[in-house]
Amino acid sequence: MKPPPLKAPPVSITCRDLTLRFPVYGVDAKSLKKHLAKITVGGKLGRHHGATDVTAISHLNLELKAGDRLGLIGHNGSGKTTLLRALSGAYEPDEGSIEVQGHIAALLDLNLGIDPTATGYDNIRLRGRIAGLSSKEVDARMDEIAEFSGLGPFLAMPVKTYSAGMQARLAFAAATAVEADVLLMDEWIAVGDADFQKIAHKRLLKLVERAGILVLASHDVELLRLYCNKVMRMEGGVASAVTDIKKLDELLAA
Amino acid sequence: MDTATHMLRTGRRGPLFEVQMALRDLRASGERIDLAWSLAWHDVVSRYRGSILGPLWITLSMGLMVLGIGVLWGELFRVPVQTFIPFVAVGIVFFGTVTTTINEGCDTFVQAAGMLSQTSLPMLTFVWRTVLRNLVYLAHHLVIVAGVLIYFGYWTTANYPIAALGLFFLVANVAWISMLVAIVSARFRDIPQIVQSITQAAAIMTPVFWLPDRIPARYHLILDLNPFYHLLEAVRAPLLGKTVAAHTYLFLAAMAVVGWALTFALFANTRRRIVHYL
């Protein structure tokens, strides 16, 4: 994949010494601490300021610029999703800093903001508004989104009447109707039946191509080879150095 | 697109920095007030989807309550219906706005958990959402107020600008209380129950269903120290053609300033933690 042309304000992600701890309220994990610290699933448990907490990301440094497609690999609970959420701006670092230049689009949970009792149109509108589009911009894109979803007259019906596949189509169509400089994805999204998967794949690729930076967390190594040019491995909240995708095997073996 | 094109998130850098970040959240929520409005409107529409009268249902049930209490209690307290029904009608409508905005405030952040944990939307957007939603409901209930004021002839003597000023004080205060309970409820899930008990007690202790001049002078502290009384009186008195005591404005202004300062300080301090509470 060729890197896209540079946009006016350069797109970039900079994380410096990023540490994220999740306080766990109402649970005293003290007695479990020693056991849990040794296993590979999840971050490190510890205590800060008297509350039990999990260190989800510890002292992470990351520098990405336009054209970078970063793949994230690692066990469950190694901090991949946390990193994506932190990059989306939802989490405040406990130490260090995150700086992102460019419009961020986080395709982490397609069902974000979907209201089953509302109609398809209303849901597209709501989702667009949450993603940062103005009412006018949503209206301008409505036809395109509606057509892409292929739901036709069903868009005027409440989403709860949809089948799971139809719901996924709607969510996908609405969520991918954004323009993003920085695209964050937790696993490559594949929804719908065989036909829809094909066009969905194309649409996603287009979005990825337009975006300056892609960060994709996945357990599928082949997928990462296909879409990414760099890779980083997370383990217990500690990140490896960003390496070229060609060295993925070495990284996995390490 | 008006999402942040530049996002900076850092670790704690001292109290001043935290206040600055909280102010930034406030500014961002102001710039995107139309988003809060969209969400509020969506809430109103979706709550009454499929019902014919929609939000007017609460208006209708409130109207019946006004009628019932106005007539029966008016008889019990030996107050003429002409004075009692307008008093109760205005009281129920505005006191309802106060209590539901506060009660629903408990859910503000809890409900928005999904959005807060994967977007950089300003947190205060969700506070405004709750407040705006309740203002939409209030707009519906004003039908009752207007109907009663016109029917009993109060509309000629009502002082609307002063009532609007009172409404401003009411919203300014209710907003911080709603935000305060939103933050605290996110952290401690017992708070919603406590808040509901308090608002329920307030409904009894505050002259909504009874006339304040019936209270013996030695119990006057129940009125003077009751924030709900002052909130209500600032709007109700001018609508019923009465004057608002100067100390009511003083009380409300002081309450707004102190309340906002405290709530904002709490927000600045807990802002980065709230998403983890959920």
Side-chain angles (χ1 to χ4, degrees):
Chain A
M1 202 180 300
K2 272 174 289 174
L6 227 63
K7 297 191 180 182
V11 182
S12 69
I13 294 179
T14 314
C15 294
R16 287 216 179 84
D17 202 29
L18 170 66
T19 297
L20 260 170
R21 291 188 205 98
F22 288 167
V24 184
Y25 297 99
V27 182
D28 186 15
K30 218 173 168 182
S31 55
L32 287 170
K33 198 168 93 178
K34 281 181 186 164
H35 296 281
L36 290 169
K38 284 178 188 163
I39 59 176
T40 50
V41 176
K44 270 201 182 111
L45 294 178
R47 287 179 75 80
H48 281 269
H49 313 296
T52 301
D53 62 21
V54 182
T55 303
I57 295 178
S58 136
H59 303 287
L60 178 142
N61 284 291
L62 180 63
E63 192 100 26
L64 296 175
K65 52 189 192 319
D68 284 346
R69 276 90 180 82
L70 178 71
L72 290 177
I73 53 171
H75 290 291
N76 295 127
S78 58
K80 302 188 299 293
T81 304
T82 305
L83 178 58
L84 288 174
R85 287 186 174 192
L87 291 176
S88 81
Y91 294 151
E92 298 277 341
D94 288 276
E95 285 163 36
S97 68
I98 311 168
E99 194 167 5
V100 180
Q101 295 275 9
H103 294 296
I104 307 165
L107 299 182
L108 304 181
D109 174 9
L110 281 188
N111 288 317
L112 173 71
I114 293 284
D115 175 358
T117 59
T119 65
Y121 286 120
D122 283 347
N123 272 299
I124 294 174
R125 227 165 262 138
L126 195 66
R127 175 73 205 222
R129 301 288 285 118
I130 294 169
L133 301 178
S134 70
S135 307
K136 271 187 197 159
E137 285 170 315
V138 176
D139 285 338
R141 282 159 212 225
M142 187 57 94
D143 289 342
E144 187 268 328
I145 299 171
E147 197 196 321
F148 179 80
S149 74
L151 292 168
F154 287 101
L155 283 174
M157 309 229 293
V159 168
K160 65 184 174 192
T161 64
Y162 292 13
S163 72
M166 287 163 75
Q167 257 184 50
R169 275 180 176 230
L170 177 84
F172 181 84
T176 51
V178 291
E179 269 159 34
D181 303 321
V182 176
L183 190 63
L184 310 172
M185 250 197 284
D186 201 355
E187 288 296 341
W188 189 263
I189 306 162
V191 292
D193 49 32
D195 287 342
F196 189 74
Q197 279 196 14
K198 252 184 232 161
I199 56 168
H201 190 77
K202 260 193 212 157
R203 187 180 170 95
L204 211 49
L205 272 185
K206 238 194 229 161
L207 198 64
V208 168
E209 273 164 29
R210 278 204 307 261
I213 298 176
L214 166 75
V215 182
L216 168 65
S218 180
H219 296 287
D220 187 339
V221 178
E222 293 314 309
L223 194 96
L224 292 178
R225 278 189 226 276
L226 212 53
Y227 300 120
C228 299
N229 54 17
K230 293 186 171 178
V231 69
M232 185 166 86
R233 182 177 176 180
M234 305 274 302
E235 199 167 345
V238 181
S240 73
V242 175
T243 43
D244 195 276
I245 192 76
K246 286 170 195 141
K247 294 179 183 157
L248 180 59
D249 289 325
E250 294 164 36
L251 195 65
L252 283 172
Chain B
M1 233 161 83
D2 55 351
T3 32
T5 52
H6 176 236
M7 186 197 78
L8 178 66
R9 296 274 190 272
T10 66
R12 284 182 192 273
R13 288 181 185 170
L16 195 67
F17 179 75
E18 295 301 305
V19 171
Q20 272 173 5
M21 294 305 279
L23 284 172
R24 181 185 282 194
D25 191 286
L26 176 67
R27 205 171 329 121
S29 75
E31 282 162 11
R32 302 193 62 186
I33 195 72
D34 56 325
L35 173 65
W37 177 252
S38 292
L39 290 168
W41 191 253
H42 179 85
D43 290 339
V44 175
V45 172
S46 54
R47 189 180 295 183
Y48 294 101
R49 191 170 282 112
S51 99
I52 297 164
L53 287 185
L56 289 176
W57 271 119
I58 336 177
T59 310
L60 200 70
S61 67
M62 225 179 222
L64 285 174
M65 192 159 125
V66 166
L67 202 67
I69 291 177
V71 173
L72 182 69
W73 293 28
E75 194 66 32
L76 287 177
F77 291 145
R78 302 194 187 289
V79 186
V81 166
Q82 289 90 323
T83 30
F84 201 57
I85 288 193
F87 175 84
V88 169
V90 177
I92 288 181
V93 166
F94 287 98
F95 192 74
T97 300
V98 170
T99 51
T100 51
T101 311
I102 295 173
N103 285 341
E104 290 182 6
C106 298
D107 284 334
T108 295
F109 291 135
V110 177
Q111 241 179 14
M115 281 186 239
L116 287 175
S117 63
Q118 48 184 310
T119 63
S120 56
L121 293 179
M123 309 200 83
L124 286 172
T125 291
F126 298 97
V127 175
W128 308 143
R129 173 194 193 170
T130 303
V131 173
L132 287 173
R133 181 175 62 222
N134 279 285
L135 287 181
V136 172
Y137 289 136
L138 174 64
H140 285 96
H141 303 333
L142 284 182
V143 173
I144 301 176
V145 174
V148 166
L149 291 186
I150 291 171
Y151 185 81
F152 291 99
Y154 280 88
W155 62 283
T156 48
T157 53
N159 192 341
Y160 300 105
I162 296 295
L165 179 72
L167 184 62
F168 167 78
F169 274 110
L170 183 144
V171 174
N173 275 299
V174 165
W176 75 254
I177 303 174
S178 183
M179 177 168 164
L180 179 69
V181 298
I183 298 173
V184 186
S185 301
R187 175 67 181 89
F188 303 103
R189 300 300 160 95
D190 312 273
I191 299 297
Q193 324 296 336
I194 297 172
V195 169
Q196 260 174 31
S197 312
I198 292 174
T199 50
Q200 229 165 52
I204 296 166
M205 302 289 281
T206 309
V208 182
F209 304 115
W210 46 274
L211 294 168
D213 51 20
R214 289 301 172 92
I215 202 159
R218 61 202 151 98
Y219 290 130
H220 232 268
L221 278 183
I222 288 186
L223 300 182
D224 289 339
L225 294 181
N226 183 346
F228 294 96
Y229 170 69
H230 293 291
L231 284 173
L232 195 53
E233 204 53 19
V235 186
R236 187 172 55 190
L239 282 178
L240 299 178
K242 289 179 200 148
T243 51
V244 182
H247 73 268
T248 290
Y249 287 123
L250 211 64
F251 189 99
L252 291 178
M255 180 170 147
V257 170
V258 174
W260 270 113
L262 281 177
T263 307
F264 206 76
L266 178 71
F267 176 63
N269 205 28
T270 55
R271 188 184 49 89
R272 53 176 72 235
R273 286 268 163 247
I274 291 174
V275 66
H276 299 308
Y277 295 156
L278 303 169

